[in-house]
Amino acid sequence: MTREIRLSDVGVGVLDDGPDGDVVRPILQDVNLTLTEDVGAVIGANGSGKSTLLQMFNGLVTANAGEVLVDGFDPRRQAAKVRSMVGFVFTDPAAQLVMPTPIEDIELSLRKSVPKRERRAAALAVLDELGIAHPVTQPLDRK
């Protein structure tokens, strides 16, 4: 199903200490973008705002200016609805996980749609279909 992600005059900045007091350091400015493809890629130099841009799509980062809409829904006001449509995978696997093992993290994501007694089997079935069931039942090394 094709979704539309629309950014209109979007800006994101962070508050920094400047020599004359607090200043807003822009990360993204005046972004106007409409995405309608099911799959895409964002490339650019380190620190160019790629992650910030992508995190706005599901409300992990909110814009200081402008408007972000996902199929007409605002991630700031309708986060649950938007997050049911747009996922995000962090670069660092340990940052993605909130549970001790990957399988438990997947089970956690099923808590609203699958009864508790069926979650482990449901998670393993999907992972088995993908051919990765064994590795994700093992704890990650969180150095």
Side-chain angles (χ1 to χ4, degrees), residues 120-141:
R120 173 75 40 135
L124 285 171
V126 170
L127 295 169
D128 188 49
E129 184 178 318
L130 295 171
I132 58 173
H134 175 71
V136 298
T137 59
Q138 307 302 312
L140 283 180
D141 181 11

Side-chain angles (χ1 to χ4, degrees), residues 28-29 41 51 111:
L28 297 173
Q29 287 182 242
S51 293
R111 74 189 181 283

Side-chain angles (χ1 to χ4, degrees), residues 107-128:
E107 288 178 72
L108 177 66
S109 71
L110 297 172
R111 74 189 181 283
K112 291 185 179 181
S113 60
V114 177
K116 186 175 183 173
R117 66 184 177 283
E118 299 171 19
R119 284 184 206 146
R120 173 75 40 135
L124 285 171
V126 170
L127 295 169
D128 188 49

Side-chain angles (χ1 to χ4, degrees), residues 11-141:
V12 176
V14 295
L15 199 58
D16 270 345
D17 286 332
D20 298 321
D22 290 341
V23 295
V24 175
R25 182 174 49 88
I27 296 175
L28 297 173
Q29 287 182 242
D30 302 319
V31 177
N32 291 288
L33 174 69
T34 300
L35 302 172
T36 58
E37 297 299 319
D38 290 332
V39 177
V42 177
I43 59 173
N46 288 346
S48 64
K50 300 178 303 292
S51 293
T52 300
L53 174 72
L54 296 173
Q55 289 176 8
M56 282 193 300
F57 296 171
N58 69 358
L60 292 173
V61 168
T62 57
N64 301 102
E67 180 178 60
V68 177
L69 295 175
V70 177
D71 275 358
F73 297 100
D74 183 337
R76 289 177 294 196
R77 294 179 183 88
Q78 299 156 305
K81 179 67 176 172
V82 170
R83 288 181 185 154
S84 73
M85 297 185 287
V86 178
F88 188 85
V89 178
F90 291 89
T91 305
D92 178 3
Q96 177 78 27
L97 299 173
V98 295
M99 301 300 287
T101 65
I103 190 70
E104 290 171 295
D105 207 54
I106 293 165
E107 288 178 72
L108 177 66
S109 71
L110 297 172
R111 74 189 181 283
K112 291 185 179 181
S113 60
V114 177
K116 186 175 183 173
R117 66 184 177 283
E118 299 171 19
R119 284 184 206 146
R120 173 75 40 135
L124 285 171
V126 170
L127 295 169
D128 188 49
E129 184 178 318
L130 295 171
I132 58 173
H134 175 71
V136 298
T137 59
Q138 307 302 312
L140 283 180
D141 181 11

